[in-house]
Amino acid sequence: MHSTRLKAAFVAAALTLAGLAAAGPAVAAPTATVAAARAQQASVPVDFVDLPTSALVADGEQHQVTVTYRNDTSTDRTVAPQLLVESPDAGPFLTPSDVVVEQRTAHGCWRPVQTASQTGTLFTDLTGAQRTLHPGETLTQDYRITVVDPDAQGTVQPRIARY
């Protein structure tokens, strides 16, 4: 009888440990889910700072647009420069093939920047453009826009996404 109780206690302990081991990932999952949700929230801008607009010039020439933002806060701030190329309200709507957008690298070279389109507005990606500015630091990003379609019309709207 004593050995039966010992076996039962051993089996109960083994089942308890097995249950905890199996529950380990399940218990950790909510923590991982919370961390993923926080990371996603951090990647969503809290607001935008619109900078002065300019007309989209369809002359086949390269036109430079400089996006500048200074972190005037006392804490680090994550920001991302973005260009919007907006179609006229009445159309015709722009497509990514209508313009070539380039960005100056830290080494002074120009590299192409992909644009996406939504309801007639072309825009550059925010995710890869994010940078952390320390208090008092200034971000300066140069872009170059060349209009390929001579009939294209619109407005260039530079802005800063703040996180």
Side-chain angles (χ1 to χ4, degrees), residues 4 8 47 72 105-106 114 144:
T4 306
D47 69 349
D72 290 329
T105 67
Q114 296 297 318
R144 199 162 59 181

Side-chain angles (χ1 to χ4, degrees), residues 93-113:
F93 294 129
L94 297 166
T95 64
S97 64
D98 291 335
V99 299
V100 173
V101 178
E102 299 170 287
Q103 179 182 47
R104 188 187 307 263
T105 67
H107 299 25
C109 301
W110 292 97
R111 69 170 185 87
V113 175

Side-chain angles (χ1 to χ4, degrees), residues 18 37-38 48 51 55 67-68 82 85 91 101 103 111 141 148 158:
R38 285 187 184 143
F48 290 90
L51 302 172
V67 178
T68 303
Q82 185 178 45
V85 182
V101 178
Q103 179 182 47
R111 69 170 185 87
Q141 182 62 64
V148 178

Side-chain angles (χ1 to χ4, degrees), residues 6 12 17 32 61 77 81-82 93 107 122-123 149 157 162:
L6 187 56
L17 289 175
E61 300 291 321
R77 170 160 258 166
Q82 185 178 45
F93 294 129
H107 299 25
L122 307 179
F123 57 91
D149 179 353
Q157 170 68 65
R162 296 192 297 190

